[in-house]
Amino acid sequence: MRVSPSYAVFTVTFAAVFSLVYVLAVEKNWALFSYAPATGTFAPLTTPAAAGPTMYWYGWIATAAIVAGAVAAVASLLPERLAKFVWPGFAWAVPVAVLIAFGYLLSGYFLR
Amino acid sequence: MWITLLIAHGLAAFMLLGAVTHQALGVWLPARSKSPTFVNRLRSVPPASYVNAIVVLFLTTMILGGIIYTNYRIGARLTLERARFWKTFGAFELKEHIVTIGFGILPAYWYFWRAASREESAVTRAMLTTVLAFVVWWGFLVGHLANNVRGLGT
């Protein structure tokens, strides 16, 4: 299968940036939209639900996906001499670091 | 409808678990002989043949889980909080984030299995498979645990 080398840069950048932006979105509550499961309504940004709990998870994913998609698209335009500096290991090393960070951030639930 | 979705989510997760486990074993412990034992057969699968199935099953499982999550949020989650099942509660919170990180690595996972040079990307491919296997195992076990504590229809 022939795929453009710039797609490699896109996927590696997307994985790394998506992970980083997602953990920031969760911590800072940068949700692109929110959802009220009790009423089944969507609202922009972090609008609280009129009734019941507010869900931000979908909004965090949307924020992370859009930012990562934009950054990865720009990175995929890098000339080949610069693109070779994009280490493929970023695709798994950054997500692993973020997983460890989430474990630390939520460790309070396991230490009660 | 929720029960049907939960069963579909569980079945998709079960198939995904099998596929990604086969692939991870094929990557880390490939069969060196043609011994007809169960373990040897488990390890002798061609790992690359699972890639598209894993991507499709991951997305299917995540979408179904994302729909069911709305019901969990207004039902089971409150029960877990009131009963102070903090470890289960925390494990499910972690599942939400771990699965999302798994979603983020899917394009790279697909690329390094299907399009990248075989020799140069072996380590990246193996590590992405390992991360994805961890994500799927965590999601499966914690989802099962939370469902046992307070599943739909209970």
Side-chain angles (χ1 to χ4, degrees):
Chain A
M1 181 176 290
R2 290 179 65 80
V3 175
S4 160
S6 65
Y7 187 69
V9 176
F10 179 91
T11 62
V12 170
T13 310
F14 184 88
V17 176
F18 181 89
S19 304
L20 285 174
V21 175
Y22 179 73
V23 70
L24 285 170
V26 172
E27 273 302 286
K28 307 285 184 188
N29 202 10
W30 293 338
L32 191 65
F33 58 88
S34 48
Y35 179 69
T39 56
T41 51
F42 288 91
L45 303 175
T46 55
T47 310
T54 312
M55 294 178 69
Y56 301 112
W57 183 57
Y58 311 112
W60 294 331
I61 295 174
T63 303
I66 289 170
V67 174
V71 174
V74 171
S76 68
L77 299 175
L78 286 174
E80 205 166 321
R81 64 188 163 79
L82 292 177
K84 67 184 178 189
F85 292 109
V86 178
W87 179 49
F90 284 135
W92 59 266
V94 176
V96 165
V98 169
L99 289 177
I100 293 168
F102 271 120
Y104 173 75
L105 290 170
L106 296 175
S107 60
Y109 289 117
F110 304 97
L111 302 173
R112 293 189 186 200
Chain B
M1 182 194 79
W2 293 113
I3 302 290
T4 306
L5 284 173
L6 181 66
I7 291 171
H9 174 62
L11 287 173
F14 188 66
M15 289 187 281
L16 175 60
L17 188 75
V20 81
T21 303
H22 265 295
Q23 189 179 55
L25 282 171
V27 166
W28 289 108
L29 298 166
R32 306 254 181 244
S33 68
K34 296 209 172 189
S35 158
T37 62
F38 172 76
V39 174
N40 204 57
R41 284 180 187 162
L42 201 67
R43 294 161 50 188
S44 60
V45 296
S49 64
Y50 287 87
V51 177
N52 288 343
I54 286 172
V55 171
V56 170
L57 283 169
F58 191 97
L59 292 174
T60 304
T61 308
M62 186 174 173
I63 290 167
L64 289 170
I67 296 168
I68 299 164
Y69 192 37
T70 59
N71 186 288
Y72 165 84
R73 190 65 183 79
I74 55 176
R77 191 177 194 262
L78 300 175
T79 305
L80 294 178
E81 278 183 283
R82 287 191 193 121
R84 297 176 175 275
F85 286 138
W86 296 122
K87 288 185 177 63
T88 308
F89 184 91
F92 204 90
E93 292 291 297
L94 257 178
K95 171 182 169 168
E96 166 188 329
H97 302 313
I98 287 173
V99 167
T100 308
I101 298 302
F103 168 74
I105 68 170
L106 276 187
Y109 166 81
W110 182 87
Y111 172 78
F112 284 102
W113 270 106
R114 304 297 298 191
S117 151
R118 289 278 147 197
E119 292 74 27
E120 282 178 20
S121 339
V123 173
T124 306
R125 209 162 42 237
M127 291 308 294
L128 285 168
T129 301
T130 307
V131 174
L132 210 55
F134 171 76
V135 167
V136 172
W137 270 95
W138 183 279
F140 187 85
L141 293 176
V142 171
H144 194 60
L145 179 69
N147 191 58
N148 283 353
V149 174
R150 184 70 168 85
L152 292 172
T154 59

